[in-house]
mmCIF file of all heavy atoms in Angstrom:
data_model
loop_
_atom_site.group_PDB
_atom_site.id
_atom_site.type_symbol
_atom_site.label_atom_id
_atom_site.label_comp_id
_atom_site.label_asym_id
_atom_site.label_seq_id
_atom_site.Cartn_x
_atom_site.Cartn_y
_atom_site.Cartn_z
ATOM 1 N N LYS O 1 47.839 103.631 35.471
ATOM 2 C CA LYS O 1 48.629 102.849 34.496
ATOM 3 C C LYS O 1 49.516 101.835 35.211
ATOM 4 O O LYS O 1 49.966 100.902 34.587
ATOM 5 C CB LYS O 1 49.512 103.836 33.705
ATOM 6 C CG LYS O 1 48.668 104.709 32.784
ATOM 7 C CD LYS O 1 49.510 105.701 32.011
ATOM 8 C CE LYS O 1 48.600 106.601 31.151
ATOM 9 N NZ LYS O 1 49.339 107.639 30.422
ATOM 10 N N HIS O 2 49.665 101.953 36.509
ATOM 11 C CA HIS O 2 50.402 100.932 37.294
ATOM 12 C C HIS O 2 49.452 99.808 37.717
ATOM 13 O O HIS O 2 49.904 98.903 38.424
ATOM 14 C CB HIS O 2 51.043 101.538 38.522
ATOM 15 C CG HIS O 2 50.206 102.414 39.353
ATOM 16 N ND1 HIS O 2 48.819 102.437 39.362
ATOM 17 C CD2 HIS O 2 50.550 103.393 40.212
ATOM 18 C CE1 HIS O 2 48.380 103.275 40.219
ATOM 19 N NE2 HIS O 2 49.385 103.900 40.738
ATOM 20 N N THR O 3 48.214 99.875 37.275
ATOM 21 C CA THR O 3 47.157 98.853 37.484
ATOM 22 C C THR O 3 46.384 98.995 38.795
ATOM 23 O O THR O 3 45.451 98.304 39.047
ATOM 24 C CB THR O 3 47.626 97.389 37.340
ATOM 25 O OG1 THR O 3 48.377 96.975 38.447
ATOM 26 C CG2 THR O 3 48.427 97.246 36.052
ATOM 27 N N LEU O 4 46.867 99.939 39.674
ATOM 28 C CA LEU O 4 46.192 100.112 40.954
ATOM 29 C C LEU O 4 45.069 101.117 40.806
ATOM 30 O O LEU O 4 45.054 101.932 39.909
ATOM 31 C CB LEU O 4 47.223 100.561 42.018
ATOM 32 C CG LEU O 4 48.414 99.638 42.209
ATOM 33 C CD1 LEU O 4 49.429 100.280 43.142
ATOM 34 C CD2 LEU O 4 47.942 98.309 42.833
ATOM 35 N N ALA O 5 44.169 101.126 41.780
ATOM 36 C CA ALA O 5 43.119 102.132 41.811
ATOM 37 C C ALA O 5 43.630 103.449 42.281
ATOM 38 O O ALA O 5 44.428 103.526 43.233
ATOM 39 C CB ALA O 5 41.955 101.646 42.700
ATOM 40 N N LEU O 6 43.212 104.570 41.612
ATOM 41 C CA LEU O 6 43.581 105.893 41.972
ATOM 42 C C LEU O 6 42.377 106.757 42.183
ATOM 43 O O LEU O 6 41.354 106.601 41.534
ATOM 44 C CB LEU O 6 44.402 106.494 40.807
ATOM 45 C CG LEU O 6 45.889 106.258 40.773
ATOM 46 C CD1 LEU O 6 46.454 106.718 39.425
ATOM 47 C CD2 LEU O 6 46.625 106.995 41.870
ATOM 48 N N HIS O 7 42.545 107.695 43.187
ATOM 49 C CA HIS O 7 41.493 108.637 43.468
ATOM 50 C C HIS O 7 42.056 110.053 43.551
ATOM 51 O O HIS O 7 43.176 110.233 44.128
ATOM 52 C CB HIS O 7 40.746 108.273 44.780
ATOM 53 C CG HIS O 7 39.464 108.974 44.997
ATOM 54 N ND1 HIS O 7 39.389 110.257 45.405
ATOM 55 C CD2 HIS O 7 38.214 108.538 44.871
ATOM 56 C CE1 HIS O 7 38.116 110.631 45.520
ATOM 57 N NE2 HIS O 7 37.345 109.601 45.180
ATOM 58 N N ARG O 8 41.349 111.007 43.012
ATOM 59 C CA ARG O 8 41.827 112.392 43.021
ATOM 60 C C ARG O 8 42.180 112.875 44.429
ATOM 61 O O ARG O 8 43.150 113.624 44.635
ATOM 62 C CB ARG O 8 40.822 113.361 42.384
ATOM 63 C CG ARG O 8 40.633 113.152 40.908
ATOM 64 C CD ARG O 8 39.565 114.114 40.382
ATOM 65 N NE ARG O 8 39.987 115.496 40.468
ATOM 66 C CZ ARG O 8 40.195 116.261 39.367
ATOM 67 N NH1 ARG O 8 40.037 115.763 38.177
ATOM 68 N NH2 ARG O 8 40.591 117.491 39.472
ATOM 69 N N ASP O 9 41.410 112.519 45.403
ATOM 70 C CA ASP O 9 41.554 113.050 46.757
ATOM 71 C C ASP O 9 42.352 112.139 47.655
ATOM 72 O O ASP O 9 42.534 112.414 48.883
ATOM 73 C CB ASP O 9 40.189 113.284 47.370
ATOM 74 C CG ASP O 9 39.382 114.290 46.599
ATOM 75 O OD1 ASP O 9 39.994 115.217 46.029
ATOM 76 O OD2 ASP O 9 38.119 114.153 46.510
ATOM 77 N N ALA O 10 42.802 110.955 47.161
ATOM 78 C CA ALA O 10 43.451 109.993 48.030
ATOM 79 C C ALA O 10 44.610 109.225 47.396
ATOM 80 O O ALA O 10 45.203 108.443 48.017
ATOM 81 C CB ALA O 10 42.411 108.965 48.565
ATOM 82 N N GLY O 11 44.891 109.577 46.148
ATOM 83 C CA GLY O 11 45.988 108.817 45.473
ATOM 84 C C GLY O 11 45.649 107.367 45.342
ATOM 85 O O GLY O 11 44.557 106.973 45.028
ATOM 86 N N SER O 12 46.627 106.493 45.753
ATOM 87 C CA SER O 12 46.398 105.023 45.670
ATOM 88 C C SER O 12 46.797 104.300 46.956
ATOM 89 O O SER O 12 46.781 103.069 47.018
ATOM 90 C CB SER O 12 47.265 104.458 44.553
ATOM 91 O OG SER O 12 48.668 104.644 44.733
ATOM 92 N N MET O 13 47.106 105.046 47.990
ATOM 93 C CA MET O 13 47.594 104.417 49.228
ATOM 94 C C MET O 13 46.365 104.017 50.078
ATOM 95 O O MET O 13 46.139 104.489 51.169
ATOM 96 C CB MET O 13 48.482 105.370 49.987
ATOM 97 C CG MET O 13 49.548 106.049 49.122
ATOM 98 S SD MET O 13 50.659 104.887 48.315
ATOM 99 C CE MET O 13 51.747 104.391 49.665
ATOM 100 N N PHE O 14 45.620 103.041 49.564
ATOM 101 C CA PHE O 14 44.509 102.485 50.337
ATOM 102 C C PHE O 14 44.264 101.070 49.967
ATOM 103 O O PHE O 14 44.700 100.559 48.915
ATOM 104 C CB PHE O 14 43.238 103.293 50.045
ATOM 105 C CG PHE O 14 42.934 103.546 48.595
ATOM 106 C CD1 PHE O 14 42.337 102.550 47.791
ATOM 107 C CD2 PHE O 14 43.154 104.756 47.985
ATOM 108 C CE1 PHE O 14 41.991 102.752 46.474
ATOM 109 C CE2 PHE O 14 42.819 105.006 46.669
ATOM 110 C CZ PHE O 14 42.286 103.979 45.910
ATOM 111 N N PHE O 15 43.641 100.338 50.888
ATOM 112 C CA PHE O 15 43.243 98.962 50.681
ATOM 113 C C PHE O 15 41.833 98.865 50.122
ATOM 114 O O PHE O 15 41.031 99.809 50.317
ATOM 115 C CB PHE O 15 43.288 98.170 51.985
ATOM 116 C CG PHE O 15 44.611 98.139 52.688
ATOM 117 C CD1 PHE O 15 44.741 98.602 53.990
ATOM 118 C CD2 PHE O 15 45.714 97.635 52.065
ATOM 119 C CE1 PHE O 15 46.004 98.578 54.634
ATOM 120 C CE2 PHE O 15 46.963 97.639 52.664
ATOM 121 C CZ PHE O 15 47.099 98.061 53.979
ATOM 122 N N LEU O 16 41.519 97.770 49.489
ATOM 123 C CA LEU O 16 40.190 97.514 48.953
ATOM 124 C C LEU O 16 39.615 96.355 49.628
ATOM 125 O O LEU O 16 40.281 95.366 50.034
ATOM 126 C CB LEU O 16 40.250 97.325 47.442
ATOM 127 C CG LEU O 16 40.745 98.489 46.567
ATOM 128 C CD1 LEU O 16 40.902 98.052 45.135
ATOM 129 C CD2 LEU O 16 39.819 99.700 46.735
ATOM 130 N N GLY O 17 38.265 96.324 49.717
ATOM 131 C CA GLY O 17 37.542 95.219 50.279
ATOM 132 C C GLY O 17 36.194 95.155 49.626
ATOM 133 O O GLY O 17 35.670 96.111 49.082
ATOM 134 N N GLU O 18 35.534 94.002 49.689
ATOM 135 C CA GLU O 18 34.313 93.770 48.992
ATOM 136 C C GLU O 18 33.312 92.953 49.845
ATOM 137 O O GLU O 18 33.699 92.095 50.648
ATOM 138 C CB GLU O 18 34.483 93.035 47.693
ATOM 139 C CG GLU O 18 35.398 93.708 46.676
ATOM 140 C CD GLU O 18 36.863 93.535 47.027
ATOM 141 O OE1 GLU O 18 37.219 92.446 47.552
ATOM 142 O OE2 GLU O 18 37.630 94.458 46.785
ATOM 143 N N ILE O 19 32.016 93.256 49.638
ATOM 144 C CA ILE O 19 30.939 92.457 50.216
ATOM 145 C C ILE O 19 30.070 92.010 49.054
ATOM 146 O O ILE O 19 29.442 92.874 48.420
ATOM 147 C CB ILE O 19 30.138 93.265 51.228
ATOM 148 C CG1 ILE O 19 30.994 93.797 52.398
ATOM 149 C CG2 ILE O 19 28.948 92.425 51.755
ATOM 150 C CD1 ILE O 19 30.245 94.821 53.302
ATOM 151 N N TYR O 20 30.066 90.745 48.775
ATOM 152 C CA TYR O 20 29.189 90.221 47.731
ATOM 153 C C TYR O 20 27.799 90.010 48.393
ATOM 154 O O TYR O 20 27.747 89.359 49.487
ATOM 155 C CB TYR O 20 29.702 88.845 47.221
ATOM 156 C CG TYR O 20 30.830 88.879 46.270
ATOM 157 C CD1 TYR O 20 31.749 89.948 46.280
ATOM 158 C CD2 TYR O 20 30.950 87.981 45.246
ATOM 159 C CE1 TYR O 20 32.744 90.007 45.319
ATOM 160 C CE2 TYR O 20 31.935 88.024 44.336
ATOM 161 C CZ TYR O 20 32.872 89.031 44.354
ATOM 162 O OH TYR O 20 33.904 89.160 43.445
ATOM 163 N N THR O 21 26.755 90.516 47.756
ATOM 164 C CA THR O 21 25.460 90.459 48.396
ATOM 165 C C THR O 21 24.345 90.129 47.368
ATOM 166 O O THR O 21 24.490 90.407 46.204
ATOM 167 C CB THR O 21 25.137 91.795 49.088
ATOM 168 O OG1 THR O 21 23.899 91.714 49.741
ATOM 169 C CG2 THR O 21 25.159 92.977 48.125
ATOM 170 N N ASP O 22 23.237 89.593 47.864
ATOM 171 C CA ASP O 22 22.071 89.375 47.074
ATOM 172 C C ASP O 22 21.057 90.493 47.139
ATOM 173 O O ASP O 22 19.944 90.403 46.646
ATOM 174 C CB ASP O 22 21.420 88.023 47.383
ATOM 175 C CG ASP O 22 21.058 87.931 48.835
ATOM 176 O OD1 ASP O 22 21.078 88.992 49.587
ATOM 177 O OD2 ASP O 22 20.661 86.838 49.308
ATOM 178 N N LEU O 23 21.481 91.579 47.822
ATOM 179 C CA LEU O 23 20.583 92.741 47.974
ATOM 180 C C LEU O 23 20.726 93.667 46.768
ATOM 181 O O LEU O 23 21.824 94.161 46.502
ATOM 182 C CB LEU O 23 20.919 93.477 49.227
ATOM 183 C CG LEU O 23 20.057 94.630 49.667
ATOM 184 C CD1 LEU O 23 18.612 94.173 50.039
ATOM 185 C CD2 LEU O 23 20.669 95.390 50.848
ATOM 186 N N PRO O 24 19.698 93.944 45.983
ATOM 187 C CA PRO O 24 19.823 94.752 44.718
ATOM 188 C C PRO O 24 19.846 96.257 45.037
ATOM 189 O O PRO O 24 18.931 97.028 44.673
ATOM 190 C CB PRO O 24 18.550 94.369 43.961
ATOM 191 C CG PRO O 24 17.540 94.057 45.024
ATOM 192 C CD PRO O 24 18.351 93.361 46.150
ATOM 193 N N LEU O 25 20.936 96.634 45.670
ATOM 194 C CA LEU O 25 21.173 98.108 45.951
ATOM 195 C C LEU O 25 21.420 98.839 44.635
ATOM 196 O O LEU O 25 21.893 98.279 43.627
ATOM 197 C CB LEU O 25 22.391 98.232 46.842
ATOM 198 C CG LEU O 25 22.243 97.692 48.281
ATOM 199 C CD1 LEU O 25 23.635 97.598 48.900
ATOM 200 C CD2 LEU O 25 21.288 98.551 49.111
ATOM 201 N N PRO O 26 21.173 100.178 44.615
ATOM 202 C CA PRO O 26 21.511 100.905 43.461
ATOM 203 C C PRO O 26 23.029 101.085 43.380
ATOM 204 O O PRO O 26 23.712 101.146 44.420
ATOM 205 C CB PRO O 26 20.852 102.299 43.716
ATOM 206 C CG PRO O 26 20.689 102.349 45.181
ATOM 207 C CD PRO O 26 20.525 100.940 45.660
ATOM 208 N N CYS O 27 23.564 101.177 42.188
ATOM 209 C CA CYS O 27 25.006 101.311 42.004
ATOM 210 C C CYS O 27 25.438 102.785 42.130
ATOM 211 O O CYS O 27 24.708 103.683 41.812
ATOM 212 C CB CYS O 27 25.421 100.780 40.651
ATOM 213 S SG CYS O 27 25.115 99.019 40.403
ATOM 214 N N THR O 28 26.606 102.988 42.650
ATOM 215 C CA THR O 28 27.236 104.294 42.699
ATOM 216 C C THR O 28 27.931 104.569 41.436
ATOM 217 O O THR O 28 28.374 103.663 40.700
ATOM 218 C CB THR O 28 28.156 104.382 43.880
ATOM 219 O OG1 THR O 28 29.075 103.255 43.906
ATOM 220 C CG2 THR O 28 27.377 104.393 45.236
ATOM 221 N N GLU O 29 28.130 105.841 41.086
ATOM 222 C CA GLU O 29 28.622 106.253 39.760
ATOM 223 C C GLU O 29 30.182 106.069 39.733
ATOM 224 O O GLU O 29 30.869 106.401 40.633
ATOM 225 C CB GLU O 29 28.309 107.699 39.511
ATOM 226 C CG GLU O 29 26.787 107.970 39.300
ATOM 227 C CD GLU O 29 26.298 107.296 38.000
ATOM 228 O OE1 GLU O 29 27.078 107.288 36.960
ATOM 229 O OE2 GLU O 29 25.181 106.761 37.986
#
């Protein structure tokens, strides 16, 4: 609700990063 990403095992104290790619990998759930 604070707009940040939350995880059951890690809370929200983490950074995010991304790799944009043209490789059609399967998506994770």
